[in-house]
Amino acid sequence: MTHQKLPIEKLRQLGERLFVKAGQIIFHEGQPDTRMLLIESGTVNIGSPTQSGGRLSFNVLSRGDIFGEVSMIDEGPRTAEAIAVTDVVLVSLSKSQYCAAFGSDAEAWKSLSKLLAMRIRWINDHSEHSPLLSSKSLVMSKVLLLDTQRDNTWVKANQQTLASASGITREHTNRVLQDLKTDGLIELRRGGYRITSYAAMTKALENQVS
């Protein structure tokens, strides 16, 4: 999520750039890590592993979004897991860097507090029922994550697997998959799918979450 009053350009200048390949984990849930991260390019999925071995997706973030601010502020462990859906360029900023740059800047800290409030409101709004737009973003993110080969091969994953991983109903998942098929982004067969163009799917996801 982005808050327009945060000093994004200053964050870019001060932070360290990280390059993460699609499918790689940026940080694990419970991991000690106090960095705040800004997405310069690419798409990131925020979620949590489930007891059954799956993964529940919470949100999909893209260029200009900031995440990881909770652990930066309270210095506690990560509250969720972050995975690069596509190749990602991040700007990493430690708490000491943020304090050194904005220690006396009340507006910067106020903006960070507002970002946290926005995050809490988003979680409250989506905890019981996700609108179709959010559902589509989550399913698209999972479809991309499972396609580790990225060479137009068939991926073995049924609707229930995608629904459980995305944290939405099977009916919603089916609607999203049919939409993606109609748009020419995927092909479907029993128990699996194939992405027709990884680049086109990535672009479509970025358009969804931008």
Coordinates of all heavy atoms in Angstrom, one line a residue, residues 48-111:
S48 N 0.4 -16.2 4.1 CA 0.8 -16.9 5.3 C 0.7 -18.4 5.0 O -0.3 -18.8 4.4 CB 0.0 -16.5 6.5 OG 0.3 -17.3 7.6
P49 N 1.7 -19.2 5.3 CA 1.6 -20.7 5.2 C 0.5 -21.2 6.0 O 0.2 -20.7 7.1 CB 2.9 -21.2 5.6 CG 3.9 -20.0 5.6 CD 3.0 -18.8 5.9
T50 N -0.2 -22.2 5.6 CA -1.3 -22.9 6.3 C -0.8 -24.2 6.9 O 0.2 -24.7 6.5 CB -2.5 -23.2 5.4 OG1 -2.1 -24.1 4.4 CG2 -3.0 -21.9 4.8
Q51 N -1.5 -24.7 7.9 CA -1.1 -25.9 8.6 C -1.2 -27.1 7.6 O -0.5 -28.1 7.8 CB -2.1 -26.2 9.8 CG -1.9 -25.2 10.9 CD -2.7 -25.5 12.1 OE1 -3.6 -26.4 12.1 NE2 -2.5 -24.8 13.2
S52 N -2.0 -27.0 6.6 CA -2.1 -28.1 5.6 C -1.0 -28.1 4.6 O -1.0 -29.0 3.7 CB -3.5 -28.1 4.9 OG -3.6 -26.9 4.2
G53 N -0.1 -27.2 4.7 CA 1.0 -27.1 3.7 C 0.7 -26.2 2.6 O 1.6 -26.0 1.7
G54 N -0.5 -25.5 2.5 CA -0.8 -24.6 1.5 C -0.3 -23.2 1.9 O 0.5 -23.0 2.7
R55 N -0.9 -22.2 1.2 CA -0.6 -20.8 1.5 C -1.8 -19.9 1.3 O -2.4 -20.0 0.3 CB 0.6 -20.3 0.6 CG 1.1 -18.9 0.9 CD 2.4 -18.6 0.1 NE 2.9 -17.4 0.5 CZ 2.5 -16.2 0.1 NH1 1.5 -16.1 -0.8 NH2 3.1 -15.1 0.5
L56 N -2.1 -19.1 2.3 CA -3.2 -18.2 2.2 C -2.7 -16.8 1.8 O -1.8 -16.3 2.4 CB -3.9 -18.1 3.6 CG -5.1 -17.2 3.7 CD1 -6.2 -17.7 2.8 CD2 -5.6 -17.1 5.1
S57 N -3.2 -16.3 0.7 CA -2.8 -15.0 0.2 C -3.6 -13.9 0.8 O -4.9 -14.0 0.8 CB -3.0 -15.0 -1.4 OG -2.1 -15.9 -2.0
F58 N -3.0 -12.8 1.3 CA -3.7 -11.7 1.8 C -3.8 -10.5 0.9 O -4.8 -9.9 0.8 CB -2.9 -11.2 3.1 CG -2.8 -12.2 4.2 CD1 -1.7 -12.2 5.0 CD2 -3.7 -13.2 4.4 CE1 -1.5 -13.1 6.0 CE2 -3.6 -14.1 5.4 CZ -2.5 -14.1 6.2
N59 N -2.7 -10.3 0.1 CA -2.7 -9.1 -0.7 C -1.7 -9.2 -1.8 O -0.8 -10.0 -1.7 CB -2.4 -7.8 0.1 CG -2.9 -6.5 -0.5 OD1 -3.5 -6.6 -1.6 ND2 -2.6 -5.4 0.1
V60 N -1.9 -8.4 -2.9 CA -0.9 -8.4 -4.0 C -0.5 -6.9 -4.1 O -1.3 -6.0 -4.3 CB -1.5 -8.9 -5.3 CG1 -0.5 -8.8 -6.4 CG2 -2.1 -10.3 -5.1
L61 N 0.8 -6.7 -4.1 CA 1.4 -5.3 -4.1 C 2.2 -5.1 -5.4 O 2.7 -6.1 -5.9 CB 2.2 -5.1 -2.9 CG 1.6 -5.3 -1.5 CD1 2.6 -5.1 -0.4 CD2 0.3 -4.4 -1.3
S62 N 2.3 -3.9 -5.8 CA 3.0 -3.6 -7.0 C 3.8 -2.3 -6.9 O 4.0 -1.7 -5.8 CB 2.1 -3.5 -8.3 OG 1.1 -2.5 -8.1
R63 N 4.3 -1.8 -8.0 CA 5.2 -0.6 -8.0 C 4.6 0.6 -7.2 O 3.5 0.9 -7.3 CB 5.3 -0.1 -9.5 CG 6.1 1.2 -9.6 CD 6.3 1.6 -11.1 NE 6.9 2.9 -11.2 CZ 8.2 3.1 -11.2 NH1 9.0 2.1 -11.0 NH2 8.7 4.4 -11.3
G64 N 5.5 1.1 -6.3 CA 5.1 2.2 -5.5 C 4.6 1.8 -4.1 O 4.4 2.7 -3.2
D65 N 4.2 0.5 -3.9 CA 3.7 0.1 -2.7 C 4.8 -0.2 -1.7 O 6.0 -0.5 -2.0 CB 2.9 -1.2 -2.8 CG 1.6 -1.0 -3.5 OD1 1.0 0.1 -3.3 OD2 1.1 -1.9 -4.1
I66 N 4.5 0.0 -0.4 CA 5.4 -0.2 0.7 C 4.9 -1.3 1.6 O 3.7 -1.4 1.8 CB 5.6 1.1 1.5 CG1 6.3 2.2 0.7 CG2 6.3 0.9 2.9 CD1 6.4 3.6 1.4
F67 N 5.8 -2.2 2.1 CA 5.4 -3.2 3.0 C 6.6 -3.5 4.0 O 7.7 -3.0 3.8 CB 5.0 -4.5 2.3 CG 6.1 -5.1 1.4 CD1 6.8 -6.3 1.9 CD2 6.5 -4.6 0.2 CE1 7.8 -6.9 1.1 CE2 7.5 -5.2 -0.6 CZ 8.1 -6.4 -0.1
G68 N 6.3 -4.2 5.1 CA 7.3 -4.4 6.1 C 7.4 -3.4 7.1 O 8.3 -3.4 8.0
E69 N 6.5 -2.4 7.1 CA 6.7 -1.2 8.0 C 6.3 -1.6 9.4 O 6.9 -1.0 10.4 CB 5.8 0.0 7.6 CG 4.3 -0.2 7.7 CD 3.7 -1.1 6.7 OE1 4.3 -1.5 5.8 OE2 2.5 -1.5 7.0
V70 N 5.5 -2.6 9.6 CA 5.2 -3.0 11.0 C 6.4 -3.5 11.8 O 6.7 -3.0 12.9 CB 4.1 -4.1 11.0 CG1 3.8 -4.6 12.4 CG2 2.8 -3.6 10.4
S71 N 7.2 -4.4 11.2 CA 8.4 -4.9 11.9 C 9.4 -3.8 12.0 O 10.2 -3.8 13.0 CB 8.9 -6.1 11.1 OG 8.1 -7.2 11.2
M72 N 9.5 -2.9 11.1 CA 10.4 -1.8 11.2 C 10.1 -0.9 12.4 O 11.0 -0.5 13.1 CB 10.4 -0.9 9.9 CG 11.6 0.1 10.0 SD 11.3 1.5 8.8 CE 10.1 2.5 9.6
I73 N 8.8 -0.7 12.6 CA 8.4 0.2 13.7 C 8.6 -0.5 15.1 O 9.1 0.0 16.0 CB 7.0 0.7 13.5 CG1 6.9 1.6 12.3 CG2 6.4 1.4 14.8 CD1 5.5 2.0 12.0
D74 N 8.0 -1.7 15.2 CA 8.0 -2.4 16.6 C 9.2 -3.4 16.8 O 9.4 -3.9 17.8 CB 6.7 -3.1 16.8 CG 6.5 -4.3 16.0 OD1 7.4 -4.7 15.2 OD2 5.4 -4.9 16.1
E75 N 10.0 -3.6 15.7 CA 11.2 -4.4 15.7 C 10.8 -5.9 16.1 O 11.6 -6.7 16.6 CB 12.2 -3.9 16.7 CG 12.7 -2.5 16.3 CD 13.8 -2.0 17.2 OE1 14.2 -2.7 18.2 OE2 14.4 -0.9 17.0
G76 N 9.6 -6.3 15.8 CA 9.1 -7.6 16.1 C 9.3 -8.5 14.8 O 9.7 -8.0 13.8
P77 N 9.0 -9.8 14.9 CA 9.1 -10.7 13.8 C 8.1 -10.4 12.7 O 7.1 -9.7 13.0 CB 8.9 -12.1 14.4 CG 8.1 -11.8 15.6 CD 8.5 -10.5 16.1
R78 N 8.4 -10.8 11.5 CA 7.4 -10.6 10.4 C 6.1 -11.3 10.7 O 6.0 -12.4 11.2 CB 8.0 -11.2 9.1 CG 9.2 -10.5 8.6 CD 8.9 -9.1 8.2 NE 10.1 -8.4 7.5 CZ 10.1 -7.1 7.3 NH1 9.1 -6.3 7.6 NH2 11.2 -6.6 6.6
T79 N 5.0 -10.5 10.4 CA 3.7 -11.0 10.7 C 3.1 -11.8 9.5 O 2.0 -12.3 9.6 CB 2.7 -9.8 11.0 OG1 2.8 -8.9 9.9 CG2 3.2 -9.1 12.2
A80 N 3.8 -11.8 8.4 CA 3.3 -12.5 7.2 C 4.5 -12.9 6.3 O 5.7 -12.6 6.7 CB 2.3 -11.7 6.4
E81 N 4.3 -13.6 5.2 CA 5.3 -14.0 4.3 C 5.2 -13.2 3.0 O 4.1 -13.0 2.5 CB 5.2 -15.5 4.0 CG 6.2 -16.1 3.0 CD 5.9 -17.6 2.8 OE1 4.9 -17.9 2.0 OE2 6.6 -18.4 3.3
A82 N 6.3 -12.8 2.4 CA 6.3 -12.1 1.2 C 7.0 -12.9 0.1 O 8.2 -13.3 0.3 CB 7.0 -10.7 1.3
I83 N 6.4 -13.1 -1.0 CA 7.0 -13.8 -2.2 C 6.9 -12.9 -3.4 O 5.9 -12.3 -3.7 CB 6.2 -15.1 -2.4 CG1 6.3 -16.1 -1.2 CG2 6.7 -15.8 -3.7 CD1 5.6 -17.4 -1.4
A84 N 8.0 -13.0 -4.2 CA 8.0 -12.2 -5.5 C 7.2 -13.0 -6.5 O 7.5 -14.2 -6.8 CB 9.4 -12.1 -6.0
V85 N 6.1 -12.4 -7.0 CA 5.3 -13.1 -8.0 C 6.0 -13.0 -9.4 O 6.0 -13.9 -10.2 CB 3.9 -12.4 -8.1 CG1 3.1 -13.0 -9.2 CG2 3.2 -12.5 -6.8
T86 N 6.6 -11.8 -9.7 CA 7.4 -11.6 -10.8 C 8.8 -11.2 -10.4 O 9.1 -11.1 -9.2 CB 6.8 -10.5 -11.7 OG1 6.9 -9.2 -11.0 CG2 5.4 -10.8 -12.1
D87 N 9.7 -11.0 -11.3 CA 11.0 -10.4 -10.9 C 10.7 -9.1 -10.3 O 9.9 -8.3 -10.9 CB 11.9 -10.3 -12.2 CG 12.4 -11.6 -12.7 OD1 12.2 -12.6 -12.0 OD2 12.9 -11.7 -13.8
V88 N 11.4 -8.8 -9.2 CA 11.1 -7.6 -8.4 C 12.4 -6.8 -8.1 O 13.4 -7.4 -7.8 CB 10.4 -8.0 -7.1 CG1 10.2 -6.7 -6.2 CG2 9.1 -8.7 -7.4
V89 N 12.2 -5.5 -8.2 CA 13.3 -4.6 -7.7 C 12.7 -3.9 -6.5 O 11.7 -3.2 -6.6 CB 13.7 -3.6 -8.8 CG1 14.8 -2.6 -8.2 CG2 14.2 -4.3 -10.0
L90 N 13.4 -4.0 -5.3 CA 13.0 -3.4 -4.1 C 14.0 -2.4 -3.6 O 15.2 -2.5 -3.9 CB 12.8 -4.5 -3.0 CG 11.8 -5.7 -3.3 CD1 12.0 -6.7 -2.2 CD2 10.4 -5.2 -3.3
V91 N 13.5 -1.5 -2.8 CA 14.4 -0.6 -2.1 C 14.2 -0.9 -0.6 O 13.1 -0.8 -0.1 CB 14.0 0.9 -2.3 CG1 14.9 1.8 -1.5 CG2 14.2 1.2 -3.8
S92 N 15.3 -1.3 0.1 CA 15.3 -1.7 1.5 C 15.8 -0.5 2.3 O 16.8 0.1 2.1 CB 16.1 -2.9 1.6 OG 16.3 -3.2 3.0
L93 N 15.0 -0.3 3.4 CA 15.4 0.8 4.3 C 15.3 0.3 5.8 O 14.2 -0.2 6.2 CB 14.5 2.0 4.2 CG 15.0 3.4 4.7 CD1 16.1 3.9 3.8 CD2 13.9 4.4 4.7
S94 N 16.4 0.4 6.5 CA 16.4 -0.1 7.9 C 15.8 1.0 8.8 O 15.6 2.1 8.4 CB 17.8 -0.4 8.4 OG 18.5 0.8 8.5
K95 N 15.4 0.6 10.0 CA 14.8 1.5 11.0 C 15.8 2.6 11.3 O 15.5 3.8 11.4 CB 14.4 0.8 12.3 CG 13.7 1.7 13.3 CD 13.2 1.0 14.4 CE 12.4 1.9 15.4 NZ 11.7 1.2 16.5
S96 N 17.1 2.3 11.4 CA 18.1 3.3 11.7 C 18.3 4.3 10.6 O 18.4 5.5 10.9 CB 19.5 2.6 12.0 OG 19.9 1.9 10.9
Q97 N 18.1 3.8 9.4 CA 18.2 4.7 8.2 C 17.0 5.7 8.2 O 17.1 6.9 8.0 CB 18.3 3.9 6.9 CG 19.6 3.3 6.7 CD 19.6 2.4 5.4 OE1 18.7 1.6 5.2 NE2 20.5 2.6 4.5
Y98 N 15.8 5.1 8.5 CA 14.6 5.9 8.5 C 14.6 6.9 9.6 O 14.3 8.1 9.4 CB 13.4 5.0 8.7 CG 12.0 5.7 8.4 CD1 11.5 5.7 7.1 CD2 11.4 6.4 9.4 CE1 10.3 6.3 6.8 CE2 10.2 7.0 9.1 CZ 9.6 7.0 7.8 OH 8.5 7.7 7.6
C99 N 15.1 6.5 10.8 CA 15.2 7.5 11.9 C 16.2 8.6 11.7 O 16.0 9.7 12.0 CB 15.5 6.7 13.2 SG 14.2 5.6 13.8
A100 N 17.3 8.2 11.1 CA 18.4 9.2 10.8 C 17.9 10.2 9.8 O 18.2 11.4 9.8 CB 19.6 8.5 10.2
A101 N 17.1 9.7 8.8 CA 16.6 10.6 7.7 C 15.4 11.4 8.2 O 15.2 12.6 7.8 CB 16.2 9.8 6.5
F102 N 14.5 10.8 9.0 CA 13.2 11.5 9.3 C 12.9 11.6 10.8 O 11.8 11.8 11.2 CB 12.1 10.7 8.6 CG 12.3 10.4 7.2 CD1 12.5 9.1 6.7 CD2 12.2 11.5 6.2 CE1 12.7 8.9 5.4 CE2 12.4 11.2 4.9 CZ 12.7 9.9 4.4
G103 N 14.0 11.5 11.6 CA 13.8 11.5 13.0 C 13.1 12.7 13.6 O 12.3 12.6 14.5
S104 N 13.3 13.9 13.0 CA 12.6 15.1 13.5 C 11.5 15.5 12.5 O 11.0 16.6 12.7 CB 13.7 16.2 13.6 OG 14.3 16.4 12.4
D105 N 11.2 14.7 11.5 CA 10.2 15.1 10.5 C 8.8 14.5 11.0 O 8.5 13.3 10.7 CB 10.6 14.5 9.2 CG 9.7 15.0 8.1 OD1 8.5 15.5 8.4 OD2 10.1 14.9 6.9
A106 N 8.1 15.3 11.7 CA 6.8 14.8 12.2 C 5.8 14.3 11.1 O 5.1 13.4 11.3 CB 6.1 15.9 13.0
E107 N 5.9 15.0 9.9 CA 5.0 14.6 8.8 C 5.3 13.3 8.3 O 4.4 12.5 7.9 CB 5.1 15.7 7.7 CG 4.1 15.5 6.6 CD 2.7 15.7 7.1 OE1 2.5 16.5 8.1 OE2 1.8 15.1 6.6
A108 N 6.6 12.9 8.2 CA 7.0 11.6 7.7 C 6.5 10.5 8.7 O 6.0 9.4 8.2 CB 8.5 11.5 7.6
W109 N 6.6 10.7 10.0 CA 6.1 9.7 10.9 C 4.6 9.7 10.9 O 4.0 8.6 11.1 CB 6.6 10.0 12.3 CG 8.1 9.7 12.4 CD1 9.1 10.5 12.4 CD2 8.6 8.4 12.6 NE1 10.3 9.9 12.5 CE2 10.1 8.5 12.7 CE3 8.1 7.1 12.7 CZ2 10.9 7.5 12.8 CZ3 9.0 6.0 12.9 CH2 10.4 6.2 12.9
K110 N 3.9 10.8 10.7 CA 2.5 10.9 10.7 C 2.0 10.1 9.5 O 1.0 9.3 9.5 CB 2.0 12.3 10.6 CG 0.5 12.5 10.5 CD 0.1 14.0 10.5 CE -1.4 14.2 10.4 NZ -1.7 15.6 10.3
S111 N 2.7 10.2 8.3 CA 2.3 9.5 7.1 C 2.5 8.0 7.3 O 1.7 7.2 6.8 CB 3.2 10.0 5.9 OG 2.9 11.4 5.7

